[in-house]
Amino acid sequence: MPIRAVSLDVGWTLAYPRESMWEIFADLCTKAGRPVSAAETERLVRALWVVGQERASRELEQERQYTDSDEEFAQQFRMLGQLVFHQLGVEDGHEQLMSEFFARFWHPEQWQLFPDVPETIAALRARGLRVGVLSNAPSDMPRLLERLGILEQLDYVVVSACEGTRKPDARIFARTLERAGVQPEEHVHVGDMYVEDILGGTRAGVHTFLIERGRHALFPSFRESEGRGLAAERVVETLTDFVARLPR
């Protein structure tokens, strides 16, 4: 069947933070008396992340279901902060440090669109495709999309905290298909995380592309596709590349 709809992840796919998560954590640790670089913080979390991703892959095979809410979403970051501070020897003040982290990292003005986003949405819509967002994110994501100037250009928005389930759970992909009004084989999803976006989407029966945004990726020093065995044509560095590879 021809492709009729495309869903796009938001963080590190459509938009990125001016100040990276690793820069913020490094600054907070340094202020707490444990000087560390953003690169060191990134390497630490990447090592922990890989272990978690391997576990998530196994759980996905067992058809685990994933829940989400604003509180659960925030708790994931609190747990990450606890791990970072513990591993780097910051013993006290974690709650205050995480309050500053949230204030800086999730401040709306800190997020900006990648330059290729407006032209990509326009190009997809010019082909007659329905275009939407599928994101593991808090319930105020639509407000961010509005501030970024793209909300009105989207046909649907599916946000994990609003749906009560998150990628890679097949249920959130099923709801995306319902909002888009298409069958799985008529849908393409683009995202930057292998387990959440690629494995989750593939198991839900949709076509998938992994995007690697280089220095503006979540983990800029690591390629998410490395060792995954993905076909080269399913990995892109820009949304412009994705549009060029999308079958008509």
Side-chain angles (χ1 to χ4, degrees), residues 218-234:
L218 173 59
F219 294 102
S221 302
F222 302 86
R223 292 186 66 90
E224 183 68 8
S225 62
E226 186 174 354
R228 305 296 196 183
L230 286 173
E233 61 268 19
R234 292 178 62 195

Side-chain angles (χ1 to χ4, degrees), residues 47-64 66 76 79 83 166 168 194-196 199 228:
L48 299 171
W49 179 276
V50 168
V51 174
Q53 291 277 286
E54 291 173 351
R55 182 178 64 252
S57 295
R58 294 192 297 270
E59 292 173 343
L60 191 59
E61 291 294 329
Q62 299 166 3
E63 298 185 352
R64 174 186 167 180
Y66 295 83
Q76 293 180 59
M79 291 174 61
L83 284 169
R166 60 185 169 88
Y194 176 71
V195 173
E196 289 80 354
L199 286 188
R228 305 296 196 183

